[in-house]
Amino acid sequence: MDQELNQFVQAILIASDPTQSSLHHQALEYLSAIQQSASAWRLALAVYVEPGQNGGRKHPPQVRFFALRVLDEFLDNRFEPLDDDMFQTLRQSILNYIQSEYLYGSAEAEASFLRNKFAHTLTLFFLCTYIDKWPTFFTDFFGLIHPPESTSQTTFNPHVSLLLFHLVLEISGEVADQIIKAARQFTAARQARDSRVRDAVRERDAARINEAVLTIVADGVERMSRLRKGDVAQAERELDSAVEVVDWGVRTFASYVGWIDINLTVTRDTVPLLFTLLSDPSLPIRLATAHALTRIVAKGLKEPGDKLQLIKVLSLGQVLDALEEKTRGEQRSRGSDTDEGEESYREALGKLLNVLGLELCKLTDECPDAGVRSEATQLLGQILPVILRLMADEYDDTCSTIFPLLQTILLSYKRQRKSSSEPLDPAKRTFLSSLLSVILEKLKWDEESDPEDMDEDDKAAFEDLRKELRTFMDSTLMIDPELVTESVRTLALNTLTAYQNGVSLKWNEAELAIYLVYIFGEINKTGGKGRAAFCQAPAVQRDKRKETDYSEYPLTSHGEMLYALVQSGISSYPHKTVVMQFFETAARYGDFFKVRKECIMPTLQAMLDVRGLHSPESSTRSRVYYLFYRFVKEDRNEISPEVAVSLLESIRDLLVIQVEVPESENSESQDILQEAVSTPSIFDSQLYLFEATGTLVSLLYKTPDQAAALLLSVVRPLLDELSVSLQAVKGPDSVLPILKVHHIIMALGNLAKGFPEYPNPVPENFVAPPLEVFREVGQAILVCLEAMNVFRVVRDATRFAFARILATTGSNVAQLIPPLMANLLAHFEPTELIDFMNFIGLSIHKLQEDLLDVLDQLIGPLSAHINGLLAQPVTGTDDQVTQVDTKRAYLGLLNSIISSKLHTVFISDRNKGQLEGLLESMLRLAEDPSDPASEKAAFSFFGRCVTVWAEPPRTPSTQQVLPGVERFVYERVVPTAFAVLSLPQFNIKDGQIVVVLQEIANFLQTVAKTRGQEAIDFLVTVFLPSQNWPQATALEFTTKMRELDGKAFRKYFSDFVRASRAGS
């Protein structure tokens, strides 16, 4: 045994020392083998308890810690009783160890981490043995707490007392803590064992445990009191020991109050003791006591009357009122000096108040006894002022402790409001009014903070707090709308008027006033939409709104607030956060400026100068680029051509492309380029400015020559720079000029995006945009693409730009499309395929027949390429996502081609040989329910094919578009449609599958309506009988198909399939 013990110890020492590399792995293997052996626990026990020569322990702490781990593994999840020899050996060794180490020794003073570990191991041993082997566990343990007569101690042994506390805490955690249980893998055996132990402790020892804990705590309290009155210097160490005992004792008490009889824990002795400790000078004791009282209040009791009695016995409302007032006074006296410990105590008081209030709310809302409800309501009313004071605490962690209670109270008020038409109770309205005042104060930023220079986490925390406060404001709004809207309106208007009158405002007061204007649109649920939200005007027809003079109509509350906002001049406030909130608000409520046009120019002037677009700070510029674009886009019809020219001249200096190359670890130029364009930069925001520029130029549509000249004055410098950058590209390493080309092409695309979409069909007297300028832009982009089509970023930018140019010019640039497609396809990456197909879809929509020749050349190679990709095996999640997205984009493109009447490309001389392969691939997609979206698109494609290709000839002299296609439909597609319905994976309870089901109904009805009686005869006499359909059912089905409209047939078909599957 000794030799084996020494080997075990040496192996642990080597395993814990990675520097012994030659033996390290060997030691780990040895220990792993030992742990699997039946005698491992004996070795571990011997190593842990073996005494040393000087009264301590023989083996070093890390060895003994590992030994406890071995014992834990032996005891944990052990649900069968230990045999007698095993039990006696463990029991006696553990008791001897506790006596020598805790009663007479230093309680592992040299390695304090072993105390907690040993308490856990002892708990596992207790769980294995308490029911059957060691029912006197606590009796034996309590015998060790009282000091033996031979010692000089006159009180309880602190080491053994602390061990008891840790042990009971561990036991409570194992058998009653739901958080620990939830984190652990569930086993029925463990659950049953824990329940038996919990019941046995309640029956045998709960009263003794509780008495022992409270007796030791009371003794500790007496010692603390005595020592605090004596010589502080001499008593400091003893006092620390007493405080530690009381602290852990109260924590232990808190751990079991939830699962033992309340009559044991709440008595005429415990309540005064707890309230004494709740005000103790020691912070840890106060925190532990607050937690204990929280657990007591939250304890589940069967009878509501018992819960009410418990709350009345505790009288916590009065106690918390006094303690909150006291701690708030201390908080004020500390001034700017923060005491985090004392703030954590106020936080603990808040949590206690929150639980007390929630328990009272349960009684007021759920108890059937009117007497209990009445008393609970009275008690809840008494704590409302304390709730408001804690809500107003300057520390958000403290404030937020009562949020759950507040939400519950407001929910209760809302329910009462809905169920009663009576006016709101005056006391409740007073509470809501006070609450709203607190909320409005809490919505302010801290005056000492600077949001622009704050830690991002702190900034996010305040934004989250504002969201929480908004939910309370919204709840209050539902209870008393007038109170909220009037309070918000009054505060905002008073603040803005004060600023206009020269009153000095703190920055956070100014920001709050603007923020309230910003959120008022969300708060004021009764307000109208559009202009009606800001102006009390009669309803005006859409086409007459431009001509209507809204200035003669009075403003709504929100309109008044926005008018005061602009007229106050608060946009000049010397604080960035205030100004940015002004810009956010102005951009959000563009419709207001349509009813008070005199407010447009002051707002735009603020955006244009150093407060906004010309700010020296890039972060400000970046955001205002977007807000300016949004404002111009929303109010473009209120901006005159003269003002548009003036605005454009004011931002012309900002239309200089800014290129940022991020630091990259990749050496590949293509990787650097991709990283540069995907990394957020100010250029992303600058694109909004180019779009706004396009919008401003478009406002000159009545003077086409002036519009063209103005657009050219913006475009020409960009084209010149594009040419210079193109010439500067010498190869893949020319990263900066390549990025410049990319950025300029993107900017040119966004200029086009600022113009209205080109109409189709073109109305009379339509004034086209400057088409010649856009052709020149398109041609210049094509030149760059031809020279640089090896670079993906250039291909991406070109697709982006042409998509926007096409939207603005329609088919007027159709001649550029063939060379564009050729160059986009000259170099191609699989990941570009989806974007490319989407681009073709957009081109089809805009160009229609003008794209026919391009599509004719493109569709064959594209289909072959995609079918090749779809046939490749999927090797991972990313591949699967890419394949599904590619499939859907392809199906979308095919459906777009057919619906745009460009279907002749499929049967042209160039492509008709591939038609059969295309239809076969569509059939494979149609019979795959694992991707419902693609399956639906495939049946939609077949339905469209039937419509355009299978229409019978109307006269003997005409021919069907695609002769013989009906045979493919009857022999292949219709059988597939019905076969899909019976697949086990075709789950008609799945919403996506239902959509497929309805598309199949559309397809079948399209076949019947296109081919007429021939299709009906085929179904009734050939196909449905082959599927064993009764004649009557087949006739009913085809009759419904012929007579019902699309919506009715889809419903009939869905019900029919459900009934068929239910009966099968």
Side-chain angles (χ1 to χ4, degrees):
M1 177 74 173
D2 286 347
Q3 185 180 356
E4 192 177 5
L5 203 65
N6 289 333
Q7 272 188 313
F8 183 58
V9 171
Q10 288 304 310
I12 296 170
L13 289 170
I14 293 169
S16 60
D17 182 6
T19 59
Q20 300 196 32
S21 54
S22 59
L23 298 173
H24 189 256
H25 184 67
Q26 193 178 339
L28 288 173
E29 286 186 343
Y30 169 78
L31 290 174
S32 179
I34 282 287
Q35 283 176 268
Q36 304 304 317
S37 72
S39 61
W41 69 271
R42 288 186 186 276
L43 281 173
L45 181 64
V47 165
Y48 184 74
V49 302
E50 191 171 357
Q53 294 179 350
N54 302 320
R57 298 293 138 190
K58 179 178 179 180
H59 301 293
Q62 70 267 36
V63 172
R64 298 176 62 226
F65 186 85
F66 185 86
L68 286 177
R69 281 178 53 192
V70 174
L71 285 171
D72 286 355
E73 198 170 313
F74 171 69
L75 296 168
D76 200 13
N77 293 316
R78 189 178 192 88
F79 308 117
E80 297 299 322
L82 299 171
D83 64 49
D84 290 343
D85 174 56
M86 201 180 280
F87 165 66
Q88 290 299 342
T89 303
L90 282 163
R91 176 180 174 278
Q92 202 54 53
S93 297
I94 286 171
L95 285 175
N96 291 342
Y97 163 73
I98 293 171
Q99 270 193 321
S100 61
E101 188 63 44
Y102 284 82
L103 196 55
Y104 300 111
S106 62
E108 304 290 0
E110 300 300 318
S112 56
F113 62 89
L114 287 174
R115 294 178 202 154
N116 289 343
K117 185 65 178 170
F118 173 67
H120 180 67
T121 305
L122 184 55
T123 301
L124 296 179
F125 183 52
F126 164 83
L127 293 171
C128 291
T129 59
Y130 179 65
I131 294 174
D132 303 312
K133 293 284 186 182
W134 200 358
T136 60
F137 179 91
F138 284 107
T139 307
D140 295 347
F141 201 96
F142 294 151
L144 300 171
I145 294 174
H146 288 282
E149 294 175 8
S150 58
T151 70
S152 58
Q153 289 179 305
T154 57
T155 183
F156 300 101
N157 182 296
H159 297 323
V160 183
S161 298
L162 287 169
L163 178 60
L164 170 69
F165 294 157
H166 283 291
L167 175 66
V168 176
L169 274 163
E170 288 275 355
I171 292 170
S172 290
E174 290 291 327
V175 303
D177 192 311
Q178 294 306 315
I179 295 174
I180 293 175
K181 285 177 174 293
R184 197 164 49 201
Q185 188 173 359
F186 175 83
T187 63
R190 183 175 206 131
Q191 180 84 351
R193 192 273 313 274
D194 290 349
S195 297
R196 288 198 304 274
V197 170
R198 193 167 58 243
D199 293 343
V201 171
R202 284 175 180 149
E203 186 181 333
R204 298 174 189 168
D205 290 305
R208 276 182 293 190
I209 293 170
N210 184 56
E211 183 185 2
V213 169
L214 290 174
T215 303
I216 296 168
V217 168
D219 178 74
V221 170
E222 190 181 329
R223 274 200 299 148
M224 288 192 309
S225 176
R226 190 172 64 251
L227 291 165
R228 282 169 178 159
K229 293 174 185 174
D231 186 334
V232 176
Q234 286 185 348
E236 187 173 353
R237 188 170 176 182
E238 285 186 58
L239 180 59
D240 288 345
S241 172
V243 166
E244 184 183 16
V245 167
V246 173
D247 174 23
W248 282 99
V250 177
R251 292 196 216 187
T252 305
F253 175 78
S255 77
Y256 62 69
V257 291
W259 60 277
I260 72 169
D261 187 354
I262 192 76
N263 293 311
L264 295 175
T265 53
V266 179
T267 67
R268 64 183 63 183
D269 297 322
T270 57
V271 173
L273 175 63
L274 290 170
F275 284 156
T276 301
L277 296 176
L278 196 57
S279 302
D280 193 84
S282 166
L283 176 64
I285 290 175
R286 276 184 280 141
L287 292 174
T289 308
H291 179 61
L293 286 165
T294 304
R295 295 287 295 270
I296 289 173
V297 174
K299 181 175 173 61
L301 298 175
K302 287 182 181 177
E303 295 298 325
D306 292 343
K307 173 60 70 127
L308 179 65
Q309 191 58 35
L310 170 65
I311 291 171
K312 286 165 68 177
V313 165
L314 293 172
S315 300
L316 271 174
Q318 298 166 340
V319 173
L320 287 169
D321 190 353
L323 286 172
E324 190 285 324
E325 195 169 340
K326 178 188 171 200
T327 53
R328 187 159 37 90
E330 292 168 351
Q331 191 183 58
R332 275 200 303 267
S333 65
R334 286 194 296 271
S336 59
D337 294 333
T338 302
D339 186 329
E340 290 189 7
E342 292 305 320
E343 294 309 330
S344 69
Y345 177 54
R346 277 182 64 78
E347 196 178 326
L349 293 177
K351 289 175 181 175
L352 177 53
L353 179 68
N354 180 64
V355 169
L356 172 64
L358 288 172
E359 293 300 322
L360 286 169
C361 284
K362 285 179 190 173
L363 296 176
T364 60
D365 293 349
E366 299 169 14
C367 180
D369 188 325
V372 171
R373 285 202 309 274
S374 175
E375 281 196 76
T377 302
Q378 189 178 353
L379 290 169
L380 184 61
Q382 290 171 8
I383 65 171
L384 292 180
V386 194
I387 294 172
L388 291 172
R389 295 204 301 267
L390 279 168
M391 177 80 176
D393 194 287
E394 62 178 294
Y395 291 95
D396 297 340
D397 287 345
T398 303
C399 156
S400 60
T401 55
I402 50 89
F403 282 3
L405 169 58
L406 201 51
Q407 197 66 61
T408 304
I409 291 172
L410 293 174
L411 183 63
S412 175
Y413 284 10
K414 279 194 282 187
R415 284 201 203 100
Q416 292 168 26
R417 199 84 181 92
K418 279 183 182 177
S419 61
S420 171
S421 57
E422 296 294 317
L424 193 65
D425 178 68
K428 288 177 181 171
R429 199 171 201 277
T430 302
F431 170 71
L432 291 175
S433 180
S434 301
L435 172 63
L436 198 54
S437 298
V438 173
I439 290 172
L440 291 172
E441 187 63 30
K442 289 292 295 180
L443 283 169
K444 282 183 194 173
W445 286 93
D446 181 5
E447 188 188 350
E448 304 300 319
S449 300
D450 180 2
E452 305 308 321
D453 195 34
M454 277 176 81
D455 178 84
E456 282 302 316
D457 290 342
D458 291 341
K459 193 172 180 179
F462 180 73
E463 296 292 356
D464 288 343
L465 176 69
R466 267 190 165 176
K467 287 176 188 172
E468 289 267 21
L469 294 168
R470 281 287 313 282
T471 63
F472 299 136
M473 191 183 278
D474 290 345
S475 296
T476 309
L477 181 81
M478 293 177 73
I479 301 160
D480 194 337
E482 186 185 349
L483 174 67
V484 177
T485 52
E486 194 55 34
S487 297
V488 171
R489 174 183 173 277
T490 302
L491 177 57
L493 285 176
N494 288 349
T495 307
L496 294 169
T497 305
Y499 182 78
Q500 189 174 6
N501 293 335
V503 176
S504 177
L505 286 182
K506 295 176 181 176
W507 79 265
N508 58 341
E509 294 172 339
E511 192 276 342
L512 176 63
I514 304 172
Y515 176 73
L516 293 176
V517 181
Y518 179 80
I519 64 172
F520 194 81
E522 299 166 31
I523 294 171
N524 187 25
K525 300 289 195 298
T526 56
K529 301 294 181 187
R531 293 172 175 85
F534 311 103
C535 175
Q536 299 172 32
V540 179
Q541 291 180 357
R542 181 181 287 272
D543 58 341
K544 299 284 178 66
R545 287 175 188 169
K546 287 185 184 178
E547 305 159 17
T548 305
D549 180 8
Y550 289 90
S551 62
E552 61 188 60
Y553 298 112
L555 294 170
T556 62
S557 292
H558 201 189
E560 287 178 8
M561 293 164 73
L562 282 158
Y563 190 77
L565 177 70
V566 177
Q567 297 300 321
S568 69
I570 205 163
S571 62
S572 299
Y573 193 96
H575 196 287
K576 178 182 171 183
T577 306
V578 175
V579 177
M580 289 304 295
Q581 189 63 64
F582 172 85
F583 291 150
E584 295 283 351
T585 306
R588 186 178 213 189
Y589 297 113
D591 279 324
F592 162 74
F593 295 90
K594 296 171 185 175
V595 302
R596 290 296 183 269
K597 297 180 184 181
E598 66 270 27
C599 293
I600 291 176
M601 282 314 295
T603 303
L604 284 171
Q605 284 163 0
M607 286 185 171
L608 285 168
D609 63 24
V610 292
R611 289 169 283 180
L613 293 172
H614 286 88
S615 168
E617 295 182 37
S618 64
S619 60
T620 300
R621 292 198 307 275
S622 178
R623 182 62 182 163
V624 181
Y625 285 160
Y626 167 72
L627 297 174
F628 175 75
Y629 144 78
R630 186 173 166 184
F631 188 88
V632 167
K633 183 182 179 185
E634 180 66 33
D635 292 298
R636 60 187 180 278
N637 293 329
E638 320 307 325
I639 298 174
S640 67
E642 295 74 27
V643 170
V645 173
S646 171
L647 290 173
L648 200 151
E649 292 305 325
S650 299
I651 63 172
R652 195 180 285 277
D653 61 316
L654 300 172
L655 302 178
V656 177
I657 300 295
Q658 300 177 38
V659 178
E660 298 172 17
V661 182
E663 293 182 11
S664 176
E665 296 177 1
N666 295 320
S667 56
E668 292 288 327
S669 58
Q670 290 279 15
D671 291 338
I672 295 171
L673 291 169
Q674 283 301 128
E675 192 173 334
V677 298
S678 58
T679 302
S681 70
I682 196 167
F683 174 70
D684 299 323
S685 304
Q686 202 179 10
L687 285 174
Y688 288 113
L689 199 59
F690 282 101
E691 187 173 341
T693 301
T695 302
L696 292 172
V697 174
S698 73
L699 297 178
L700 278 69
Y701 67 94
K702 290 183 179 178
T703 53
D705 292 343
Q706 187 186 3
L710 191 61
L711 179 61
L712 195 59
S713 73
V714 176
V715 165
R716 178 60 60 206
L718 292 172
L719 294 181
D720 291 345
E721 203 170 354
L722 187 64
S723 177
V724 170
S725 300
L726 176 60
Q727 291 169 27
V729 176
K730 305 302 180 188
D733 295 333
S734 304
V735 172
L736 204 61
I738 295 171
L739 286 176
K740 199 69 171 284
V741 168
H742 166 274
H743 285 17
I744 294 171
I745 292 173
M746 297 281 284
L748 290 167
N750 263 49
L751 271 171
K753 190 181 176 189
F755 282 75
E757 282 211 11
Y758 199 85
N760 187 17
V762 178
E764 282 187 48
N765 304 319
F766 173 71
V767 181
L771 296 175
E772 282 305 317
V773 179
F774 283 119
R775 285 194 192 100
E776 185 179 348
V777 168
Q779 192 63 55
I781 294 172
L782 264 181
V783 169
C784 288
L785 179 64
E786 285 173 5
M788 301 175 64
N789 58 21
V790 294
F791 301 111
R792 175 169 179 174
V793 294
V794 175
R795 297 195 300 270
D796 287 346
T798 301
R799 278 199 309 273
F800 173 92
F802 261 94
R804 282 142 187 82
I805 292 170
L806 278 173
T808 300
T809 61
S811 60
N812 292 288
V813 292
Q815 71 276 16
L816 301 178
I817 299 303
L820 171 68
M821 294 294 183
N823 279 285
L824 285 174
L825 288 171
H827 295 273
F828 204 80
E829 293 179 23
T831 49
E832 290 178 77
L833 197 54
I834 296 166
D835 289 337
F836 181 68
M837 285 190 285
N838 290 337
F839 175 69
I840 298 173
L842 175 75
S843 303
I844 290 169
H845 175 65
K846 289 295 172 186
L847 302 179
Q848 299 289 319
E849 292 86 359
D850 291 319
L851 199 67
L852 202 56
D853 289 342
V854 174
L855 271 179
D856 190 38
Q857 299 171 43
L858 191 64
I859 197 66
L862 186 65
S863 293
H865 185 66
I866 289 170
N867 285 324
L869 280 177
L870 296 180
Q872 290 177 7
V874 175
T875 56
T877 306
D878 289 347
D879 278 359
Q880 186 173 13
V881 170
T882 303
Q883 193 178 79
V884 168
D885 289 345
T886 303
K887 191 191 332 177
R888 290 177 184 175
Y890 178 53
L891 285 161
L893 175 62
L894 296 180
N895 277 303
S896 180
I897 291 171
I898 290 205
S899 61
S900 298
K901 300 178 181 176
L902 301 177
H903 49 85
T904 53
V905 298
F906 295 116
I907 54 175
S908 67
D909 291 341
R910 188 194 307 269
N911 296 315
K912 61 185 178 184
Q914 299 176 32
L915 180 61
E916 188 176 347
L918 173 67
L919 295 176
E920 289 289 348
S921 67
M922 288 298 104
L923 266 182
R924 287 194 293 275
L925 297 177
E927 57 197 14
D928 178 13
S930 67
D931 182 6
S934 296
E935 191 175 25
K936 174 191 178 297
F939 277 110
S940 176
F941 174 78
F942 280 126
R944 289 188 167 108
C945 288
V946 169
T947 302
V948 298
W949 288 334
E951 181 80 35
R954 296 187 182 276
T955 62
S957 59
T958 58
Q959 189 179 11
Q960 187 173 305
V961 175
L962 189 60
V965 73
E966 69 278 9
R967 287 198 306 277
F968 179 80
V969 172
Y970 292 151
E971 294 170 11
R972 302 295 305 282
V973 190
V974 170
T976 296
F978 281 94
V980 163
L981 301 175
S982 57
L983 290 172
Q985 311 95 295
F986 198 81
N987 178 12
I988 52 176
K989 292 180 180 177
D990 184 333
Q992 291 184 326
I993 294 294
V994 170
V995 174
V996 177
L997 183 65
Q998 293 181 343
E999 195 58 51
I1000 291 173
N1002 289 339
F1003 163 73
L1004 292 172
Q1005 197 170 34
T1006 299
V1007 172
K1009 291 193 172 179
T1010 303
R1011 298 299 299 180
Q1013 190 61 41
E1014 172 197 285
I1016 301 294
D1017 291 345
F1018 165 74
L1019 288 170
V1020 173
T1021 62
V1022 180
F1023 179 72
L1024 295 180
S1026 74
Q1027 305 299 305
N1028 299 317
W1029 281 42
Q1031 182 74 9
T1033 306
L1035 282 170
E1036 181 196 348
F1037 180 79
T1038 50
T1039 302
K1040 297 284 187 187
M1041 183 189 295
R1042 183 168 46 199
E1043 294 179 353
L1044 294 177
D1045 63 22
K1047 184 177 179 182
F1049 180 67
R1050 285 195 297 272
K1051 183 178 186 310
Y1052 164 78
F1053 187 68
S1054 300
D1055 293 342
F1056 181 83
V1057 172
R1058 284 194 186 92
S1060 301
R1061 289 183 66 130
S1064 61

